[in-house]
Amino acid sequence: MSDNVQVADVVGIGESAHARAPEPLLQLQDVRKVYPGVTPVIALRGVDFTIHRGELVAIVGPSGSGKSTLLHMMGTLDRPTEGSVRLVGSDVAKMSDRELAKLRATRIGFVFQQFFLSEYETALENVADGLLYSGVNRRTRRALAAEALDKVGLAHRMDHRPPQLSGGERQRVAIARALNGNPDIVLADEPTGNLDSNAAATIFALLKKLHREGATIIVITHDRGLAARLPRRIDVLDGRIVADVTQGATGTVDPELTVDWARDTKEQA
């Protein structure tokens, strides 16, 4: 039995998905992660939730809450100790390392706080490199990279190297790289964490725009202000999901769908 409270499975679906039942894209069922040692560390304690195609979701929590471990589970960078992680119907636990590498290369886009761009390559080359392991030839990789950079508003900067770009522009390059190849899901880890307020607002607006265009995006953050402005918010604390909240298309909280974790815990005791 999971320790979590799951409020709603279908929230924040993009407009294009209204005409049909939403497709479960990412499913975590009773996921537990224990790091062994003299004193084992329990990082996740029975996590359950489903992300449907077309959602824009924030996973929010303080440092040490389990967000990073959860990112590793969702991105197939690590395997759960117990429970299951299914991405596009595939059970991660039953896949080989080679199969997981292919899954990450073709199905998942990653955006990191630190950008992880090569300073010696142009924006176009950095984005094209995101498809190196997808089996796409160089000419097609560059064409797709140019299209992705245009989508994030950087067509005029594609020949510039990262040191010639602002922080916000570098993050947009990273987002373009994540979108290149049209992955099923984009995992954005603290995408505004290293940016000033103006650049952060630009990145936030870009994520909302990409979502409206059909992208499925999960933002992992400690910023509750940012999380409150997304259609769905999943709160993590001490390795558990303590709230799963529908906030509406503009991020307005629906109080009837907010979990009072402290009250619920007392009722279960």
Side-chain angles (χ1 to χ4, degrees):
M1 178 66 69
S2 169
D3 293 323
N4 300 303
V5 177
Q6 187 168 5
V7 177
D9 283 337
V10 183
V11 288
I13 304 302
E15 292 179 2
S16 63
H18 282 305
R20 64 187 185 279
E23 175 191 355
L25 189 58
L26 176 66
Q27 297 170 290
L28 279 71
Q29 297 180 321
D30 201 19
V31 170
R32 300 169 186 270
K33 181 64 180 180
V34 180
Y35 294 102
V38 177
T39 304
V41 175
I42 305 175
L44 296 176
R45 303 170 183 266
V47 169
D48 284 294
F49 62 80
T50 298
I51 305 294
H52 292 84
R53 189 175 297 277
E55 284 200 82
L56 174 57
V57 182
I59 293 179
V60 62
S63 177
S65 61
K67 297 192 310 299
S68 294
T69 303
L70 196 50
L71 170 66
H72 293 161
M73 296 296 117
M74 294 187 296
T76 73
L77 298 169
D78 200 354
R79 302 172 192 261
T81 305
E82 297 178 26
S84 68
V85 176
R86 303 184 72 89
L87 181 63
V88 200
S90 299
D91 187 342
V92 169
K94 296 179 180 179
M95 302 178 74
S96 67
D97 289 343
R98 177 173 293 183
E99 289 171 330
L100 286 177
K102 182 178 180 180
L103 186 76
R104 284 192 295 273
T106 58
R107 299 283 197 170
I108 306 172
F110 293 93
V111 179
F112 297 103
Q113 180 178 355
Q114 302 295 336
F115 314 137
F116 293 118
L117 301 175
S118 170
E119 294 190 358
Y120 303 102
E121 293 187 321
T122 64
L124 181 69
E125 292 164 339
N126 268 285
V127 175
D129 283 352
L131 291 176
L132 273 175
Y133 303 103
S134 64
V136 178
N137 64 53
R138 182 176 183 273
R139 182 175 180 178
T140 303
R141 287 200 307 270
R142 290 176 67 87
L144 290 171
E147 182 180 328
L149 284 166
D150 183 55
K151 185 177 290 188
V152 302
L154 285 180
H156 63 299
R157 304 284 275 172
M158 65 175 62
D159 292 327
H160 290 68
R161 291 178 171 80
Q164 299 170 308
L165 302 173
S166 68
E169 287 174 329
R170 278 178 278 173
Q171 190 59 290
R172 280 193 277 165
V173 172
I175 291 172
R177 181 179 57 194
L179 291 170
N180 203 9
N182 195 29
D184 288 286
I185 194 166
V186 174
L187 302 175
D189 184 22
E190 301 284 5
T192 62
N194 277 347
L195 306 178
D196 62 38
S197 58
N198 289 332
T202 299
I203 294 301
F204 179 80
L206 175 61
L207 292 174
K208 298 270 281 190
K209 169 182 174 288
L210 295 171
H211 168 243
R212 288 194 300 271
E213 294 173 353
T216 304
I217 303 173
I218 302 177
V219 177
I220 298 91
T221 182
H222 71 279
D223 186 342
R224 298 190 65 82
L226 184 152
R229 297 164 64 193
L230 299 185
R232 180 181 175 189
R233 190 190 80 235
I234 297 174
D235 289 10
V236 184
L237 185 65
D238 297 332
R240 294 183 173 93
I241 304 300
V242 298
D244 191 339
V245 182
T246 302
Q247 305 184 136
T250 59
T252 302
V253 175
D254 181 346
E256 293 189 3
L257 291 180
T258 303
V259 173
D260 184 336
W261 176 253
R263 182 193 63 203
D264 187 80
T265 302
K266 290 178 182 177
E267 290 176 352
Q268 291 185 34

